[in-house]
């Protein structure tokens, strides 16, 4: 019996693999730490991967590079993101719940710009974070004056120096940074919608063969209430679970 138990333990260890996951600062749900990655989303990923017999190695990578890397399968797990038709082409996405997203439009203080819907943006020079998803209405439109940059600091600088007219941001992209900046103002027009949150495994990753097992673990964490408990442990409101739950 001892031999059989030992053989099973050895087999599990022998076939254990390291899955590379990209971390980025999206506090408080996801944030870079000295040990790798912290927050409830990182904890969910580590637990799910451990339960299917593997381990996670966190790497700090900017979001735009993560998306490009995912297309070629050079990363195994992508945490906390939205999904779109384009992203579904190269990602196996697993939802862990829904959150309300507020999309805001920021201008330089004193600007006379007014917009009534996302169609109005086509008349202006618009700044966004490269590779980011804001809302379906924004993603479906092409803007001739679109400027994609790497971070909010660049967007703020471009606004203050009149290089763009409007910066798009949201409750998911650090809107509080813009609100704290002197010389900027938020337009009255906003967008609000329920946004499903996802953890993905790129289809081209050689670890994507674990996608089904990983997805089942996340689904069980949702249905059992464990996702809510993890968020509560971090003193955060849990994602809503009344949105559609699809089995992986």
């Amino acid at each position: 019996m001892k031999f059989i138990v030992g053989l099973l333990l050895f087999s599990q260890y022998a076939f254990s693999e390291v899955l590379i996951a990209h971390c980025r600062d999206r506090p408080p749900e996801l944030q870079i730490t000295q040990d790798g990655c912290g927050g409830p989303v990182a904890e969910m990923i580590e637990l799910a991967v451990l339960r299917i017999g593997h381990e996670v190695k966190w790497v700090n990578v900017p979001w735009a590079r993560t998306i490009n890397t995912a297309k070629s399968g050079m990363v195994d797990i992508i945490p906390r993101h939205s999904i779109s038709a384009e992203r579904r082409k190269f990602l196996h996405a697993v939802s862990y719940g829904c959150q309300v997203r507020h999309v805001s439009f920021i201008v330089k203080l004193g600007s006379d710009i007014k917009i009534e819907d996302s169609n109005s943006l086509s008349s202006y020079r618009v700044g966004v974070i490269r590779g980011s998803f804001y809302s379906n209405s924004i993603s479906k439109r092409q803007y001739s004056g679109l400027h994609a940059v790497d971070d909010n600091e660049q967007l703020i600088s471009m606004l203050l120096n009149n290089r763009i007219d409007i910066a798009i941001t949201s409750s998911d992209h650090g809107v509080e940074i813009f609100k704290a900046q002197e010389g900027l103002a938020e337009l009255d027009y906003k967008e609000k919608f329920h946004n499903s949150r996802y953890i993905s495994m790129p289809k081209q990753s050689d670890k994507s063969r674990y996608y089904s097992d990983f997805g089942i673990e996340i689904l069980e964490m949702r249905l059992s209430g464990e996702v809510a408990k993890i968020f509560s442990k971090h003193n955060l409101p849990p994602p809503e679970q009344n949105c559609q739950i699809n089995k992986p």
Side-chain angles (χ1 to χ4, degrees):
M1 177 64 71
K2 289 183 179 180
F3 172 77
I4 294 175
V5 172
L7 182 61
L8 290 172
L9 289 173
F10 173 78
S11 298
Q12 182 179 15
Y13 175 79
F15 290 102
S16 177
E17 295 195 72
V18 176
L19 276 65
I20 302 299
H22 282 184
C23 188
R24 65 189 187 285
D25 268 326
R26 286 292 186 269
E29 295 179 12
L30 189 75
Q31 48 196 320
I32 299 166
T33 66
Q34 289 184 340
D35 299 325
C37 200
V41 179
E43 184 173 336
M44 278 192 300
I45 290 171
E46 290 174 353
L47 283 172
V49 171
L50 178 65
R51 288 169 183 171
I52 63 173
H54 305 292
E55 60 181 297
V56 177
K57 178 181 179 180
W58 292 102
V59 181
N60 175 18
V61 178
W63 177 242
R65 193 190 308 165
T66 290
I67 285 294
N68 287 330
T69 301
K71 294 176 182 178
S72 58
M74 299 304 291
V75 58
D76 303 316
I77 298 179
I78 301 175
R80 193 187 180 279
H81 66 86
S82 300
I83 200 67
S84 63
E86 178 61 30
R87 290 178 182 177
R88 284 192 185 278
K89 293 177 182 177
F90 58 89
L91 295 178
H92 288 305
V94 179
S95 175
Y96 61 87
C98 297
Q99 295 172 316
V100 175
R101 175 177 289 193
H102 299 265
V103 181
S104 299
F105 303 84
I106 310 297
V107 297
K108 188 174 181 180
L109 189 65
S111 170
D112 60 358
I113 292 175
K114 293 182 180 179
I115 60 175
E116 297 181 354
D117 54 40
S118 57
N119 287 322
S120 306
L121 295 173
S122 59
S123 302
Y124 301 101
R125 298 170 299 168
V126 178
V128 297
I129 299 296
R130 185 176 289 109
S132 289
F133 171 84
Y134 294 95
S135 72
N136 284 325
S137 63
I138 293 171
S139 295
K140 290 177 181 177
R141 290 172 172 79
Q142 298 294 325
Y143 305 110
S144 58
L146 190 68
H147 297 264
V149 299
D150 292 327
D151 54 51
N152 286 330
E153 286 69 25
Q154 288 178 273
L155 287 179
I156 290 172
S157 176
M158 292 175 78
L159 275 175
L160 293 175
N161 289 286
N162 298 311
R163 293 174 58 198
I164 58 174
D165 304 308
I166 301 173
I168 303 177
T169 186
S170 78
S171 51
D172 235 38
H173 295 89
V175 64
E176 65 279 355
I177 298 174
F178 291 87
K179 291 182 177 181
Q181 174 67 48
E182 293 185 4
L184 299 181
E186 187 177 12
L187 294 179
D188 291 335
Y189 174 74
K190 298 176 179 62
E191 293 187 9
K192 175 183 175 182
F193 64 99
H194 274 83
N195 185 40
S196 291
R197 313 303 295 147
Y198 293 89
I199 301 165
S200 286
M201 300 188 77
K203 294 178 181 180
Q204 293 300 316
S205 165
D206 63 355
K207 307 298 194 307
S208 65
R209 60 186 180 274
Y210 303 124
Y211 159 69
S212 181
D213 291 339
F214 177 80
I216 288 170
E217 289 296 334
I218 296 296
L219 178 59
E220 290 181 352
M221 292 168 76
R222 291 183 69 176
L223 296 175
S224 69
E226 188 174 8
V227 168
K229 290 179 181 178
I230 291 172
F231 272 76
S232 296
K233 185 177 75 174
H234 289 264
N235 298 314
L236 293 172
E240 297 180 25
Q241 298 299 327
N242 60 353
C243 44
Q244 183 178 0
I245 299 177
N246 296 317
K247 291 186 179 181

